Amino acid sequence: MATQSANRLAGRRILLGISAGIAAYKSAQLARLLKQAGCEVRVVMTEGAQAFITPLTLQALTGEPVRTSLLDPEAEAGMGHIELARWADIILIAPATADLMARLAQGMADDLLTTLCLASEAEKVMAPAMNQAMWRHVATQRNAERLAQDGWRLLGPDSGDQACGDVGPGRMLEPEAIAAELLTAPGKGQAAAQGLHIVITAGPTREPLDPVRYLSNHSSGKMGFALAAAAAELGAKVSLISGPVSLPTPAGVTRIEVETALQMHEASQQLAGECDIFIGCAAVADYRAETAAEHKIKKREGEETLTLRLIKNPDIIAAVADRRDAAGGRPFVVGFAAETRDLEAYARDKLERKRLDMIVANDVSTAGLGFGADDNAALLMWRDGQGEGGESLPPQPKLELARAVLRQALSRLAEHPVH
């Protein structure tokens, strides 16, 4: 891993942006680690960042002058901010405050750092850092989602004790963790899934009872859409079979919209024979009405109950996993298990019973995680010719969790190709 890390970053030109958060003191160690990995590092600081750490400290660590102003006459005599934007291979902002995230999400260019971000075609990464309430605020979550859609890769934040005395998500990842992410993740032009076709199901299904009512569940589709975005980042051809949700389609993803479990089953079977990885993330209704009423079911006087006859829907993920002798072969199959108790036992049973290659298990009873939330945690389990394995992923933004799930799936696929 160390050799791969050096190859990944050696000679890369990293523009380290530092905004006004107490975590700015960690940026000095981050700059040092990047230099040790063989990077060229130049630093841009916002005005507020200089209240937490001095430009002289970063200059000593990088051996380069630190830029702090968009209107520096000496630098701008040669269009310095444009040259700096063209120079960078990677723009890394650590820490990225809530204010900076908001300005970038709106496309503002009101200081040197935001201007460079708009003017550069470099790979863009940020490590958010803020109070836990600020991170959880709906506006910050909306900005984080928008930035991810715009191509930013968000690392963290971590959870734990904060400088303000609060405890929760919002801590900037430690410099070692940020450096490790940069060292191991494929960058621009280094697509780990190039040439692979990944099919993902997402969202709920709706099973009609009559023209105005249906059976469904609380799935928002966020996890499946995060997986699709992460797969596209890695260079894969991505087909997203989505139930009825209002989320925008991630860039580079082909979306197939369905409503019922039968429609999702049909679309899955059509694509399963031509894909390399199939991820069943959708919350598919287990049952549907035996017969949907032609007209709205009316309340009847004197009747206190209503009896519905339900029949089983097809098991989509099991059907894909059972395609061993089908034309086109069988993809690597990843299932999801949303549980409220006995997470590991139920996940292992589903992994074995449905003959999956890997399963992602979520405890959806945990507040702030799972259905409808922006964060999630998971237990990964897999089985292959070498036996069983597993990995526990702590609470984190769903896009980061999606990247971790795909890294493990691609690793398992590379070691034990299905086709």
Side-chain angles (χ1 to χ4, degrees):
M1 180 65 72
T3 301
Q4 292 175 348
S5 296
N7 290 340
R8 156 73 172 119
L9 283 185
R12 301 300 297 280
R13 295 178 296 197
I14 297 184
L15 182 64
L16 176 60
I18 304 175
S19 61
I22 184 60
Y25 78 91
K26 297 181 180 180
S27 302
Q29 174 67 359
L30 179 57
R32 181 172 174 271
L33 291 172
L34 294 174
K35 288 290 287 184
Q36 288 178 342
C39 305
E40 294 182 54
V41 181
R42 295 185 184 179
V43 176
V44 171
M45 301 178 70
T46 66
E47 181 179 354
Q50 298 169 64
F52 295 95
I53 186 171
T54 67
L56 186 60
T57 300
L58 279 303
Q59 180 176 318
L61 289 168
T62 63
E64 298 284 348
V66 175
R67 294 287 305 275
T68 59
S69 174
L70 176 61
L71 303 177
D72 181 340
E74 183 177 341
E76 291 310 307
M79 294 298 287
H81 70 279
I82 297 297
E83 290 303 316
L84 195 54
R86 291 172 179 165
W87 173 86
D89 296 317
I90 300 172
I91 294 179
L92 168 62
I93 302 178
T97 61
D99 173 71
L100 182 67
M101 291 176 65
R103 288 188 286 130
L104 286 172
Q106 294 302 313
M108 296 179 69
D110 55 353
D111 63 6
L112 179 59
L113 183 54
T114 52
T115 299
L116 289 170
C117 291
L118 286 188
S120 177
E121 296 181 356
E123 179 182 347
K124 296 181 176 67
V125 186
M126 68 170 61
M130 65 200 71
N131 168 266
Q132 56 84 25
M134 295 174 71
W135 171 252
R136 288 189 170 113
H137 194 280
V138 61
T140 305
Q141 291 301 310
R142 182 173 62 244
N143 292 334
E145 185 175 338
R146 178 62 180 270
L147 288 166
Q149 292 170 2
D150 288 347
W152 282 89
R153 183 172 177 226
L154 275 63
L155 303 181
D158 204 352
S159 293
D161 295 332
Q162 299 187 316
C164 61
D166 285 359
V167 178
R171 285 170 54 94
M172 187 175 101
L173 291 183
E174 293 303 315
E176 293 78 7
I178 295 172
E181 285 286 343
L182 290 177
L183 292 168
T184 57
K188 215 171 189 179
Q190 296 176 295
Q194 191 74 43
L196 296 181
H197 183 189
I198 299 177
V199 174
I200 301 164
T201 65
T205 63
R206 291 178 179 173
E207 312 303 324
L209 299 176
D210 62 23
V212 298
R213 300 183 181 93
Y214 54 82
L215 297 173
S216 192
N217 55 63
H218 294 294
S219 174
S220 64
K222 289 181 178 179
M223 190 67 233
F225 276 63
L227 283 162
E233 281 179 356
L234 296 175
K237 173 185 176 182
V238 184
S239 299
L240 177 63
I241 305 171
S242 175
V245 298
S246 58
L247 300 173
T249 306
V253 172
T254 299
R255 181 172 180 171
I256 301 98
E257 294 189 342
V258 298
E259 185 157 324
T260 68
L262 289 177
Q263 292 169 348
M264 186 171 284
H265 175 70
E266 181 181 357
S268 297
Q269 288 299 308
Q270 288 177 354
L271 292 173
E274 61 183 64
C275 70
D276 301 280
I277 299 176
F278 184 96
I279 304 177
C281 186
V284 184
D286 293 324
Y287 295 89
R288 69 182 186 276
E290 183 177 41
T291 304
E294 184 178 356
H295 300 287
K296 179 181 175 181
I297 300 172
K298 307 294 289 184
K299 289 188 292 186
R300 296 182 181 178
E301 291 297 328
E303 291 187 358
E304 299 298 325
T305 62
L306 174 66
T307 301
L308 298 173
R309 185 173 176 84
L310 304 178
I311 59 175
K312 258 189 176 183
N313 273 321
D315 191 324
I316 296 173
I317 195 76
V320 173
D322 203 37
R323 291 178 54 89
R324 298 181 187 276
D325 299 321
R330 175 192 183 277
F332 184 91
V333 183
V334 181
F336 269 68
E339 305 292 348
T340 57
R341 60 188 175 92
D342 298 331
L343 184 68
E344 184 173 348
Y346 283 129
R348 177 169 281 108
D349 173 70
K350 186 172 183 178
L351 177 73
E352 296 174 354
R353 178 168 42 84
K354 299 192 178 185
R355 298 197 293 173
L356 309 178
D357 299 296
M358 185 170 129
I359 194 163
V360 184
N362 313 114
D363 184 347
V364 294
S365 67
T366 303
L369 301 177
F371 286 151
D374 294 301
D375 292 353
N376 209 348
L379 172 64
L380 307 188
M381 302 174 69
W382 58 82
R383 59 190 184 93
D384 51 34
Q386 306 300 313
E388 294 186 349
E391 178 184 7
S392 181
L393 300 175
Q396 56 195 287
K398 286 183 173 178
L399 184 59
E400 288 304 312
L401 186 77
R403 290 175 176 137
V405 169
L406 284 168
R407 280 197 294 270
Q408 192 60 254
L410 290 169
S411 174
R412 308 250 65 77
L413 177 67
E415 293 181 16
H416 302 279
V418 176
H419 288 297

